[in-house]
Amino acid sequence: MNILDIFVAGRAVTSLMLLVFCFMLILIMELNLREKIALKIRRMAGVDAIDEAIGIAVEKGKPVMFLPGQGKLGTGRSGGALAAISTFSYVVKTCAEKGAKLLAPTMLPTVYSIMQDIVKQAYIAAGKREEYDPSIVTFVSPKMQAYMSKVGTMMEEERIGSCIMFGSWAGATLWMAERSFEAGAFSIGGTDSPSTIPFFLAVCDRCIMGEEIYAVGAYLSEDKAMIGSIGGQDIGKIIIILLLLIGSILVNLGVDVLPWFKM
Amino acid sequence: MMSFYKSTLPKWILFICGIVVLIASIFVVPEPLKNVSNEIQHFTSILTSFAICLGAVSLGINNVKRTVKKQSGWCYSIVLLISLIATIGIGISLGRKSANFMWIYNYLYMPLQAAIYSILFFQVGTAVYRTFIVKNPTATVLLIFACLTILGGAPAITCTIPGLTALNDWILAVPQMSGSRGIMIGLGVGIIGISVRTILGREKAYQMGEE
């Protein structure tokens, strides 16, 4: 019996690569956690700007708005939603400590309940239980156009001081970013959706793009296991670049490498 | 005990569900395990439906509060509440395929949706204007490439300037494609990383109720 027969047909090589990569990630994560290696995470200007954004809002006496994107949990865009939740927990903690008013309208029902719990825990942890307001996080509508309309109005009515947009974004990106600019807010845009990165780059004051948003949780929490996994991801990227170079050379030599990945 | 229900139990449920789905999608597994994996994935839809109910209740409560307190825009909250109750009522009593429900969808919901989306046209204009202001060398490169791409997509220009279409195709196929593929590879690696951390319970912020 061929060892590759244990895998689903057509996915053997890619599955094997995925498993090797996962084990490597876990290994580096554990090594960093047990201080066998000492990995550090580089500065991320966009993430450092979160404190700046909250500070600006506090100085102006205006609210901070956090938008968790359009990526739903349980779909292919869960990564963006998870990254948005990670960032939100830091934003809400900082807002609670600095006494900044926070608004977090969402169109994601599953993310809504998680965000509610994060807000409650953050205010309790900051010793400001009495300041906890369940209407900080509001569910607007799962439909994009209704969400766009409501959030745009909220930005104008509440005269927000800063706007932090994080997660997977789609059609509502430009609308949100432009409306926050029109409201005079300092804006930070972070997304893992390649098609919406140009909009954030064009309109926002600071931009966090691509897989950087998945590293935000590790960067802000300084958790060793999480930093270890980011180190593992970087090694994975180096291996992929080497494989791309080898693949390019083989293809130019006339070797058809595509069937190898369809085994 | 509270910590067990709010932290330990969800972590174990997450771990078991993640591992079962991962194994069933990679390895050739017995039919019952495959069915369990499918059921777990179907369960996401059920959870989302419950979450939508929770969200609708929250939406209703917030708007009732706004109306009672007569906060700014309270009259819009009344419109929202009437629309919400009427749509749910008609949907439940007459069915989603009924003529009345479809009338709401086709003649109220769809035009409103199109009207909101059409405003994006003007916002694209203002965003493009601000992007094209030459602030530094990077912005200049962006301006040049953007102008070439816009002109390359206009038939009136491409028929008068020979080679513009080929240049436009090259921009899209080589520099643009290599940039976006780089981002896509990074995203793929990042998603695996965040998934491993979540399944193993190492993604701190996702654990509700924990610091």
Side-chain angles (χ1 to χ4, degrees):
Chain A
M1 182 190 161
N2 190 336
I3 185 78
L4 295 179
D5 290 345
I6 61 167
F7 294 102
V8 173
R11 290 188 200 166
V13 175
T14 45
S15 300
L16 203 62
M17 285 166 76
L18 176 71
L19 286 178
V20 170
F21 181 53
C22 289
F23 280 119
M24 188 191 71
L25 270 182
I26 296 166
L27 180 73
I28 296 171
M29 223 156 73
E30 287 303 319
L31 286 176
N32 201 45
L33 188 66
R34 290 172 193 187
E35 296 182 346
K36 303 276 182 201
I37 51 171
L39 294 174
K40 281 182 183 169
I41 203 160
R42 68 171 168 81
R43 266 197 76 238
M44 291 164 75
V47 184
D48 290 339
I50 292 175
D51 285 327
E52 189 188 344
I54 297 170
I56 288 170
V58 173
E59 274 175 25
K60 289 181 179 174
K62 292 178 175 179
V64 175
M65 181 174 269
F66 184 90
L67 304 174
Q70 298 169 260
K72 293 172 187 167
L73 284 173
T75 65
R77 296 164 85 193
S78 302
L82 287 173
I85 291 166
S86 281
T87 314
F88 180 67
S89 57
Y90 178 77
V91 170
V92 72
K93 191 178 150 202
T94 315
C95 284
E97 284 167 1
K98 291 186 177 176
K101 186 185 174 188
L102 179 66
L103 302 165
T106 178
M107 61 179 291
L108 309 166
T110 41
V111 171
Y112 164 75
S113 47
I114 297 174
M115 284 170 74
Q116 275 289 19
D117 198 71
I118 288 172
V119 172
K120 195 176 175 184
Q121 296 299 329
Y123 275 84
I124 291 169
K128 296 181 175 177
R129 194 185 192 126
E130 69 287 350
E131 286 179 31
Y132 165 67
D133 179 2
S135 64
I136 287 174
V137 183
T138 46
F139 175 73
V140 178
S141 164
K143 296 291 176 190
M144 188 177 73
Q145 284 80 2
Y147 180 63
M148 284 159 64
S149 167
K150 173 66 182 174
V151 174
T153 314
M154 275 176 89
M155 283 176 179
E156 274 174 31
E157 279 181 355
E158 300 280 349
R159 298 178 181 278
I160 57 165
S162 55
C163 183
I164 302 166
M165 293 163 276
F166 242 82
S168 291
W169 285 88
T173 320
L174 191 60
W175 171 279
M176 299 302 183
E178 270 295 290
R179 293 303 288 262
S180 73
F181 174 79
E182 285 164 14
F186 179 87
S187 57
I188 301 173
T191 184
D192 61 351
S193 319
S195 58
T196 58
I197 290 172
F199 295 133
F200 275 150
L201 273 171
V203 183
C204 293
D205 294 293
R206 298 281 189 282
C207 181
I208 303 156
M209 57 181 187
E211 88 277 15
E212 273 188 340
I213 73 162
Y214 303 136
V216 171
Y219 185 77
L220 294 172
S221 69
E222 293 177 359
D223 179 80
K224 283 186 176 167
M226 287 171 85
I227 292 173
S229 81
I230 305 295
Q233 283 171 220
D234 284 350
I235 294 170
K237 273 184 260 179
I238 293 167
I239 295 169
I240 289 170
I241 291 168
L242 289 174
L243 287 174
L244 281 172
L245 283 172
I246 295 166
S248 305
I249 293 165
L250 288 175
V251 168
N252 280 300
L253 289 173
V255 182
D256 189 10
V257 293
L258 217 57
W260 298 355
F261 294 94
K262 289 182 179 172
M263 285 200 288
Chain B
M1 197 62 186
M2 202 62 188
S3 159
F4 173 77
Y5 285 118
K6 289 209 83 175
S7 173
T8 314
L9 185 65
K11 262 192 222 176
W12 276 102
I13 293 172
L14 188 66
F15 177 75
I16 294 165
C17 291
I19 293 293
V20 167
V21 174
L22 187 70
I23 289 173
S25 54
I26 288 180
F27 297 106
V28 178
V29 291
E31 205 58 31
L33 189 65
K34 208 172 185 176
N35 292 339
V36 171
S37 167
N38 289 337
E39 283 306 314
I40 289 171
Q41 290 176 67
H42 290 157
F43 208 75
T44 315
S45 314
I46 299 167
L47 276 177
T48 308
S49 306
F50 274 105
I52 285 179
C53 289
L54 190 71
V57 170
S58 146
L59 184 73
I61 291 170
N62 281 337
N63 282 282
V64 168
K65 273 185 193 171
R66 196 172 174 175
T67 312
V68 171
K69 288 180 184 171
K70 297 239 167 130
Q71 288 173 342
S72 69
W74 63 274
C75 48
Y76 301 118
S77 294
I78 294 177
V79 175
L80 185 140
L81 289 168
I82 293 169
S83 311
L84 186 73
I85 294 163
T87 313
I88 292 173
I90 292 170
I92 291 172
S93 59
L94 302 174
R96 284 199 308 139
K97 301 282 178 192
S98 67
N100 294 0
F101 192 84
M102 289 313 289
W103 187 88
I104 292 174
Y105 186 80
N106 289 326
Y107 297 106
L108 288 176
Y109 178 74
M110 289 300 283
L112 283 170
Q113 186 168 282
I116 291 289
Y117 216 63
S118 63
I119 303 170
L120 267 181
F121 168 77
F122 300 100
Q123 294 189 327
V124 170
T126 54
V128 165
Y129 171 74
R130 278 191 291 125
T131 314
F132 283 3
I133 298 170
V134 179
K135 295 168 278 191
N136 49 44
T138 320
T140 316
V141 174
L142 184 69
L143 172 67
I144 293 166
F145 274 79
C147 286
L148 286 171
T149 314
I150 292 168
L151 294 175
I157 307 291
T158 48
C159 68
T160 50
I161 305 172
L164 190 60
T165 310
L167 181 64
N168 190 30
D169 290 344
W170 179 83
I171 291 170
L172 292 174
V174 182
Q176 190 276 135
M177 188 60 78
S178 52
S180 47
R181 278 196 183 149
I183 292 172
M184 291 302 289
I185 290 169
L187 283 177
V189 172
I191 287 173
I192 297 171
I194 204 167
S195 306
V196 169
R197 291 201 297 269
T198 307
I199 290 172
L200 296 178
R202 298 284 193 196
E203 186 67 28
K204 297 278 176 184
Y206 191 54
Q207 294 156 24
M208 293 164 67
E210 274 195 8
E211 268 299 293

